[in-house]
Amino acid sequence: MNVLKGIFVFAVALLVANSSVVIARADTDARQSYFDKTTAPMIVVMNYHHFGHEGDYPLVENIRISPEEFRRQLETLKTEGYTTISQAELMNYLTGTGQIPQKSLYITIDDGFQSTYTYAYPILKELGMTAMLFPIIADVERGERLGAPMLTWSELREMAESNVLAIGNHTYDLHWRKQDLEGKEAMILNYNKANRLLTVDKRREMIKADLLKAESVLKEQTGIDMAKAISYPFGAYDAVVLEVVEELGYEIGFTTTTGYHTLGADNTNLLEIKRYGVNYRNTTEKLLQTIETSTALAYQKYNERNLRVMSHYNESTHGLYLRISAVRGYPSVAAIQLEVWKMQDGERIYVAPASVAEAMLSEETPYFVHTEKMTEYPVYKKGEHYSLKVMMTNEDDSVDNEWINFTY
């Protein structure tokens, strides 16, 4: 973890060197990221499937991880200071309105093999970590998938009631491929399981009926309400799938696309979340290296952004001083806007435009200076926690954002 530790030491040193002035740096592609030094630089979603030993079930060998390695991974991550977060915390982070610990993780487990209960659940519970489980409901009913046993209803109920694992939708019976070929997945295929051709409308109806059946069967068998979260089988989805998922009120969707996410990424559709697949090939060392690399990339973007904000809060006058400039110079900026957000239970709630809501840069004034005075603007209340959001729209139509946190 030397690279990661070095990055954090650098960040801390920068703040300590001048504790009254925070230099806010950020990323060139602001449509990809806001940044806030008080929260995580990025979030990695880790995805697992089957927990077992080599040779136990040959048809799921490629998605297997040994229980011993799974424990080692989580114990190491916990020792390094990482913690797991909830679906609500993840969603608030992705939309830019919530803060999470600087070392945060989100864990998903697909398919619903019985090994989740036997191995993963006890380890997660012991370490005080949580995960989102996506069982294939029809396979749970059948009791097996690819020769491996599936979870029982009582096991699903126990895990959900423990609050260690929430349960999301992995479809009732749409986790199959025609002729087992990539690109022929049921979710995006205009054929049903009986090989009957479907119109787009019929496929839409089929997907909707399947997802609703998964919800209702789980409720009937366990009494558990399914979370409004979906993991697309084989990671396959298209515009039709997204339409149905959105119509049914799903809040977040997980793909098999590899990658990480940063705070409030403007181009992040909550129904298209990236994940890192973990199996026996991903040792603890490789997993840590992946997280280190992702963190370094997030900081690199952060350091390359056009927007620069220098801020200082004067506790005696209750004034927040801002100096806003552009790395690429005033011609690169189309507009600057400021908003007031209230911090409540780790989440930001929009309040109003700042006392000076808009500004511009020019050759005469290549940087913008403003003092937001709490005593002169009625939206502020003493003792409350706030964030001022600075938004710089660049000439290339990208938008840089920065958050400044303070207490009146």
Side-chain angles (χ1 to χ4, degrees):
M1 297 295 289
N2 292 335
V3 174
L4 183 57
K5 288 179 179 176
I7 293 170
F8 281 115
V9 168
F10 170 79
V12 171
L14 178 64
L15 295 178
V16 172
N18 192 340
S19 59
S20 64
V21 178
V22 178
I23 301 176
R25 306 174 191 270
D27 127 53
T28 46
D29 182 5
R31 292 189 182 281
Q32 185 166 1
S33 176
Y34 305 151
F35 200 92
D36 175 353
K37 281 190 287 290
T38 63
T39 194
M42 60 90 216
I43 181 75
V44 164
V45 179
M46 298 169 4
N47 186 41
Y48 297 88
H49 288 82
H50 171 58
F51 307 87
H53 299 97
E54 185 177 0
D56 286 350
Y57 302 101
L59 294 180
V60 293
E61 179 66 20
N62 64 322
I63 53 174
R64 174 193 64 82
I65 187 170
S66 73
E68 294 79 12
E69 188 65 22
F70 180 67
R71 171 181 287 279
R72 183 168 173 248
Q73 288 180 355
L74 297 195
E75 286 180 341
T76 302
L77 288 167
K78 186 169 183 177
T79 299
E80 291 290 342
Y82 285 90
T83 184
T84 51
I85 61 173
S86 68
Q87 177 184 326
E89 289 174 312
L90 176 63
M91 290 173 58
N92 290 336
Y93 177 80
L94 295 173
T95 56
T97 60
Q99 295 178 302
I100 58 177
Q102 288 206 346
K103 293 186 174 183
S104 293
L105 298 166
Y106 193 81
I107 298 174
T108 63
I109 302 172
D110 281 2
D111 296 350
F113 291 107
Q114 206 274 334
S115 61
T116 300
Y117 180 82
T118 304
Y119 297 116
Y121 169 54
I123 294 170
L124 287 163
K125 190 175 183 178
E126 177 188 334
L127 297 177
M129 292 182 163
T130 60
M132 174 69 77
L133 172 64
F134 293 101
I136 307 164
I137 299 300
D139 287 342
V140 172
E141 286 185 328
R142 284 188 286 264
E144 68 89 27
R145 176 175 177 79
L146 300 174
M150 301 296 285
L151 291 161
T152 66
W153 299 121
S154 62
E155 289 167 348
L156 282 165
R157 182 169 54 251
E158 177 186 337
M159 292 188 294
E161 290 178 345
S162 73
N163 294 320
V164 174
L165 286 99
I167 300 176
N169 206 329
H170 206 30
T171 74
Y172 174 76
D173 192 21
L174 287 178
H175 200 305
W176 52 270
R177 283 172 165 156
K178 185 175 174 61
Q179 300 171 342
D180 289 331
L181 296 176
E182 188 172 347
K184 301 289 186 179
E185 291 83 5
M187 290 288 276
I188 60 173
L189 188 65
N190 287 328
Y191 287 87
N192 63 16
K193 214 167 189 178
N195 207 34
R196 184 171 297 170
L197 182 65
L198 300 173
T199 64
V200 172
D201 286 342
K202 287 294 184 182
R203 181 161 72 92
R204 186 181 288 110
E205 291 173 13
M206 177 187 71
I207 295 168
K208 182 176 180 179
D210 179 277
L211 296 179
L212 289 174
K213 186 172 182 178
E215 293 179 14
S216 64
V217 171
L218 180 72
K219 179 70 172 180
E220 290 167 7
Q221 296 293 334
T222 68
I224 302 299
D225 289 315
M226 191 173 275
K228 284 299 183 180
I230 183 170
S231 171
Y232 307 108
F234 304 110
Y237 66 97
D238 59 10
V240 173
V241 174
L242 293 177
E243 285 174 17
V244 174
V245 169
E246 190 170 7
E247 179 189 343
L248 294 179
Y250 279 79
E251 300 170 331
I252 193 165
F254 295 91
T255 73
T256 55
T257 302
T258 299
Y260 64 91
H261 293 278
T262 49
L263 173 69
D266 288 351
N267 67 344
T268 298
N269 183 341
L270 290 183
L271 297 177
E272 299 180 88
I273 302 304
K274 302 181 182 73
R275 296 185 289 182
Y276 284 97
V278 188
N279 55 42
Y280 71 90
R281 301 175 188 87
N282 305 102
T283 63
T284 298
E285 290 73 23
K286 286 184 179 179
L287 182 58
L288 291 176
Q289 185 178 24
T290 294
I291 296 173
E292 290 175 10
T293 300
S294 299
T295 302
L297 288 171
Y299 274 108
Q300 181 179 339
K301 291 179 182 178
Y302 169 65
N303 288 326
E304 292 173 351
R305 219 166 67 170
N306 192 33
L307 175 65
R308 292 292 183 269
V309 181
M310 194 158 53
S311 65
H312 171 66
Y313 183 70
N314 189 317
E315 293 186 5
S316 60
T317 63
H318 300 294
L320 177 66
Y321 169 82
L322 301 171
R323 184 183 187 278
I324 303 168
S325 59
V327 174
R328 296 190 290 272
Y330 75 89
S332 66
V333 180
I336 297 171
Q337 294 176 291
L338 295 92
E339 294 177 347
V340 179
W341 292 64
K342 184 179 179 180
M343 294 294 297
Q344 188 170 310
D345 299 325
E347 182 179 355
R348 295 185 174 98
I349 309 297
Y350 175 75
V351 175
S355 59
V356 173
E358 296 183 2
M360 282 291 297
L361 302 184
S362 67
E363 187 171 8
E364 291 74 27
T365 55
Y367 54 85
F368 170 64
V369 175
H370 167 62
T371 299
E372 182 81 356
K373 294 185 178 179
M374 313 298 107
T375 55
E376 297 178 10
Y377 197 25
V379 300
Y380 297 107
K381 294 181 181 179
K382 285 190 176 181
E384 299 286 355
H385 305 290
Y386 295 93
S387 290
L388 196 70
K389 181 182 179 182
V390 180
M391 297 165 285
M392 175 182 285
T393 303
N394 300 303
E395 285 290 347
D396 61 5
D397 289 330
S398 64
V399 182
D400 290 346
N401 301 272
E402 186 62 66
W403 296 95
I404 298 97
N405 303 317
F406 58 96
T407 301
Y408 179 14

